[in-house]
Amino acid sequence: MAYPIRMLDVILLEDETVLREELCEFLTGCGYRVDAESSLEGFRRRFDPVRHGIAVLDLGLPDGDGLSLIRELRARGERLGIVVLTARGGARDRIAGLDIGADHYLAKTSDLDELAATLAALARRLADPSPPSVNTWVLELGPRCLQPPGGPAIALSEQDLTVLHELMRNAGNIATRRQIIKALGDDFLSYDQRRLDTQMRRLRRKVDESCGQILPINTARNVGYRFHAKAVIRP
Ligand code: CA
């Protein structure tokens, strides 16, 4: 998978063996170099502030609490992206975690795609401290997500990505139905046109539910669709 940014090494702290291996494999597949540890002591030994840009941490660990580790890292002024991945999903724990310096707090029940999108957004922010310009929607082809202005990244299916790519690379102009259907790899004449309308409705609803923003797409009846905000596409 090609990434548009300098890849950051990830240090993973998780004491459940199966989950640790699964996460390790998934993150490696996303293109990160991953070092995995199963205890606070192991983490402290392995952590290299020069190399590790992101830490993915469990909280309940055999030799202590991950929260104390976060406090310790922040007290030392480590400029490290910290993602807490835990079974403790309660609001109080979440607030405590964010309060002491975690950047993101994900429940262990979260989708792996959500973890990938979170890490991609975090890596981008760490690599580029300049704030994204307002009203720009960014389509990330590698991590397969859509970044609304100011909103969290939204993980996309292959189909969503293809449709948005066609619309966003023609931003300001109409992408015709024929063009979009062709990009989807289908034959225009035999394609059931209602499928495209359904796909669009699903995409709008997904964006609305994920970030409360309206996907900036107009419908040109029987002709196609127009993406009418500023669009940036990253490989
Ligand atoms: Ca645990």
Side-chain angles (χ1 to χ4, degrees), residues 152-178:
I154 302 165
L156 299 172
S157 69
E158 192 76 50
Q159 277 221 334
D160 291 343
L161 184 81
T162 304
V163 170
L164 278 173
H165 186 224
E166 208 50 38
L167 286 162
M168 290 172 75
R169 73 186 186 87
N170 291 291
N173 298 306
I174 291 172
T176 63
R177 300 179 75 90
R178 184 183 286 270

Side-chain angles (χ1 to χ4, degrees), residues 9-202:
D9 285 5
V10 172
I11 182 162
L12 167 70
L13 176 53
E14 170 58 66
D15 61 318
E16 288 166 47
T17 309
V18 174
L19 182 59
R20 184 174 62 247
E21 282 168 3
E22 188 194 352
L23 288 170
C24 209
E25 194 177 314
F26 174 74
L27 293 174
T28 304
C30 289
Y32 296 97
R33 203 160 70 181
V34 184
D35 292 319
E37 289 293 335
S38 57
S39 67
L40 291 173
E41 196 204 335
F43 181 98
R44 291 193 181 102
R45 219 175 327 119
R46 178 74 80 92
F47 176 58
D48 175 356
V50 176
R51 202 162 60 73
H52 293 125
I54 295 180
V56 177
L57 307 176
D58 181 20
L59 292 186
L61 293 154
D63 56 346
D65 193 317
L67 288 176
S68 61
L69 176 65
I70 300 173
R71 204 173 288 124
E72 184 184 309
L73 291 166
R74 290 305 185 220
R76 287 197 331 232
E78 298 295 356
R79 192 181 163 274
L80 164 86
I82 299 177
V83 178
V84 170
L85 193 62
T86 180
R88 298 186 205 163
R92 256 182 73 183
D93 287 311
R94 204 162 52 236
I95 291 165
L98 296 173
D99 247 11
I100 62 172
D103 294 285
H104 294 278
Y105 202 101
L106 295 178
K108 276 191 180 167
T109 49
S110 302
D111 203 273
L112 285 179
D113 283 340
E114 192 181 349
L115 175 64
T118 301
L119 290 192
L122 192 54
R124 204 167 45 242
R125 213 183 70 214
L126 291 168
D128 175 18
S130 61
S133 68
V134 283
N135 204 26
T136 299
W137 293 67
V138 181
L139 186 67
E140 305 265 6
L141 301 180
R144 226 163 67 185
C145 62
L146 176 68
Q147 181 88 51
I154 302 165
L156 299 172
S157 69
E158 192 76 50
Q159 277 221 334
D160 291 343
L161 184 81
T162 304
V163 170
L164 278 173
H165 186 224
E166 208 50 38
L167 286 162
M168 290 172 75
R169 73 186 186 87
N170 291 291
N173 298 306
I174 291 172
T176 63
R177 300 179 75 90
R178 184 183 286 270
Q179 212 176 317
I180 298 167
I181 291 164
K182 188 166 166 234
L184 285 167
D186 283 301
D187 176 48
F188 182 69
L189 294 177
S190 59
Y191 189 87
D192 179 356
Q193 299 283 323
R194 284 167 303 186
R195 265 173 64 199
L196 189 57
D197 299 317
T198 309
Q199 161 97 29
M200 261 345 173
R201 267 199 302 279
R202 237 173 3 89

